Amino acid sequence: MAKPRSKENQSLPLRWQLKHGAYYYRVPPGLEALWDGKQMFRLGDKISEASKVWTDRMAQIDGPIGVKTIGDLLDRYAREVIPNKAPASQASNQNQLPKLREIFGAMPLLPFKPQLIYQYVDRRSKKVKDPVTGKVTGGKIAAHREVELLSHAYTKAVEWGYIDRHPFKSEVRLTGEKSRERYVEDWEIVECLALPAVRKSGSVLMIQAYLRIKLLTGMAQGDLLRLQPGLHLKDDGIHNQRHKTAGTTGKRTIYEWSPELRAAVEMALAARPVESTFLFCTRDGVGYIDEAVGRASGWKSMWQRYMARVMAETKVEQPFTEHDLRAKVASDASSLEHARSLLAHADSRTTDRIYRRKAERVNPLR
């Protein structure tokens, strides 16, 4: 019986291993001569580098790599597609791959019945608690994200020439996830901005300046926390290219100066604990985004502490999120098109479906 793969290797292609910070290929017995005489061939330190070395070496040995099973397809997807995604997306995909391989890995690419997707979602939607760690896995949202990954892998299979058409795209209609409906009222913002700060700089004043800029522009958290005065603040306004879509739509926006926006930026500059190249920075002067993983853990912790004070010291009874603030901007905008422009969406349908949360007012017929 084959030894189960360790947790850190479960999301990797077959015969790959992560050892001492590098990726290795465990050479099949008898084929060592084709891999420089080694049983464990070192592929590289980064998964993108390892994928290229492995693909090039396999092409020299066997010609183009064949893909016969869904597991084969997921292996190629893991090698060539996932390393080009944002760090946070890479981490999510690496967690999703073992779940998909467990159920679909040995299946041939075709035929594939759409009913299998419904069965998979039904099974994965049931949350399961690990008796040892106590960690809860599964759920409808997790199942939907895993299906999205499998669907994109099949889209790549069409692109790579393995199949002629996607077997379940437009054939499956999963029950949608309910969008948040929280609308942050103006008085709640007034309460938050009135929260007293203990120091003349630091977290409270920084978050209040952040709130002011966000409510004037609707910028996403990642874009706001990446703002650098010397790079993005120009004579005609704040220049921003959405980090999330920089590699796709490349959407660029200039938020023109108004007295209120200038005042909010000046407040942010004054609230910094030290001089920095970033508009929002830590006590060490560095930005809050850890680009290696695409997260801002320090900012998240600071926001949670701020929200705890808001709940304890103001009349606000229900906490709100970053997305709720973007939704407020979209909801308060004079028109759907204005809201779309502020949030830098390529498609106004996204703005309308998720972010416009106020009730629509209509005049009755006369």
Side-chain angles (χ1 to χ4, degrees):
M1 182 176 178
K3 182 180 178 181
R5 303 185 82 187
S6 60
K7 184 177 180 180
E8 64 269 19
N9 293 324
Q10 286 179 358
S11 62
L12 298 176
L14 292 178
R15 308 193 75 84
W16 279 41
Q17 290 183 14
L18 179 61
K19 296 175 59 177
H20 309 300
Y23 295 93
Y24 288 83
Y25 176 61
R26 183 164 52 85
V27 179
L31 299 183
E32 291 85 357
L34 300 176
W35 294 86
D36 301 346
K38 298 179 179 179
Q39 293 180 329
M40 293 295 291
F41 186 89
R42 191 180 189 280
L43 298 170
D45 294 331
K46 297 181 179 179
I47 193 167
S48 55
E49 173 192 356
S51 297
K52 186 178 188 309
V53 170
W54 189 87
T55 302
D56 291 345
R57 179 62 68 114
M58 289 296 287
Q60 292 174 13
I61 296 171
D62 291 332
I65 302 170
V67 168
K68 297 180 181 179
T69 67
I70 295 176
D72 295 336
L73 175 62
L74 293 175
D75 283 349
R76 181 170 180 183
Y77 189 89
R79 294 191 307 270
E80 300 183 24
V81 180
I82 291 178
N84 296 317
K85 296 186 179 184
S89 297
Q90 289 186 39
S92 296
N93 286 173
Q94 295 294 356
N95 288 330
Q96 292 156 355
L97 283 173
K99 313 296 190 305
L100 293 169
R101 284 199 180 99
E102 179 185 353
I103 304 300
F104 298 111
M107 295 182 184
L109 283 181
L110 294 176
F112 187 99
K113 295 182 178 180
Q115 293 94 322
L116 292 174
I117 297 297
Y118 291 107
Q119 294 169 10
Y120 179 82
V121 170
D122 183 61
R123 173 175 172 173
R124 286 286 293 140
S125 292
K126 298 178 176 65
K127 293 188 176 182
V128 179
K129 185 175 183 179
D130 189 302
V132 178
T133 65
K135 184 178 180 181
V136 177
T137 60
K140 180 178 286 189
I141 293 177
H144 285 193
R145 297 294 88 78
E146 290 155 13
V147 168
E148 287 174 4
L149 176 58
L150 180 62
S151 179
H152 191 226
Y154 262 101
T155 297
K156 299 300 290 187
V158 175
E159 176 185 329
W160 292 328
Y162 298 130
I163 57 177
D164 292 329
R165 63 180 294 274
H166 196 302
F168 62 88
K169 190 173 185 178
S170 301
E171 298 292 331
V172 172
R173 295 287 186 272
L174 298 177
T175 304
E177 302 154 25
K178 186 177 180 180
S179 298
R180 280 179 63 85
E181 298 178 347
R182 173 79 160 100
Y183 173 75
V184 184
E185 301 285 351
D186 291 345
W187 70 265
E188 293 179 289
I189 297 299
V190 171
E191 290 278 311
C192 292
L193 294 179
L195 194 69
V198 177
R199 299 185 300 271
K200 294 182 179 179
S201 66
S203 59
V204 172
L205 291 176
M206 194 182 302
I207 288 182
Q208 288 174 339
Y210 175 91
L211 279 169
R212 292 177 186 274
I213 297 174
K214 194 176 192 78
L215 291 170
L216 290 166
T217 65
M219 291 174 64
Q221 181 193 82
D223 297 326
L224 264 172
L225 295 182
R226 288 184 174 91
L227 284 181
Q228 299 183 53
L231 182 63
H232 300 106
L233 308 186
K234 301 186 178 181
D235 291 341
D236 55 345
I238 301 176
H239 287 234
N240 177 55
Q241 181 179 38
R242 284 206 70 191
H243 183 80
K244 183 178 180 179
T245 57
T248 52
T249 65
K251 178 71 175 177
R252 295 176 182 271
T253 304
I254 300 174
Y255 297 96
E256 297 180 346
W257 292 119
S258 68
E260 294 81 8
L261 184 55
R262 283 190 183 277
V265 168
E266 289 298 325
M267 181 180 177
L269 290 169
R272 294 184 299 180
V274 294
E275 289 292 325
S276 171
T277 58
F278 289 92
L279 184 60
F280 300 98
C281 68
T282 67
R283 293 176 182 176
D284 297 323
V286 299
Y288 279 97
I289 301 286
D290 182 349
E291 298 294 355
V293 295
R295 296 191 178 95
S297 300
W299 182 267
K300 181 180 180 181
S301 297
M302 193 165 68
W303 176 269
Q304 289 173 341
R305 292 194 298 270
Y306 179 78
M307 270 292 121
R309 277 197 64 190
V310 167
M311 300 299 294
E313 301 176 29
T314 73
K315 297 178 182 179
V316 179
E317 298 180 351
Q318 183 182 358
F320 51 83
T321 67
E322 293 275 349
H323 278 88
D324 293 334
L325 290 173
R326 271 170 64 81
K328 177 173 178 57
V329 173
S331 300
D332 291 349
S334 58
S335 66
L336 175 58
E337 180 57 26
H338 187 205
R340 184 204 62 77
S341 299
L342 284 166
L343 271 56
H345 285 154
D347 192 335
S348 60
R349 288 175 295 183
T350 301
T351 316
D352 191 37
R353 179 171 55 89
I354 300 175
Y355 291 94
R356 297 274 276 184
R357 297 181 183 175
K358 277 185 177 179
E360 184 178 5
R361 292 184 175 274
V362 296
N363 291 320
L365 291 174
R366 298 180 184 279

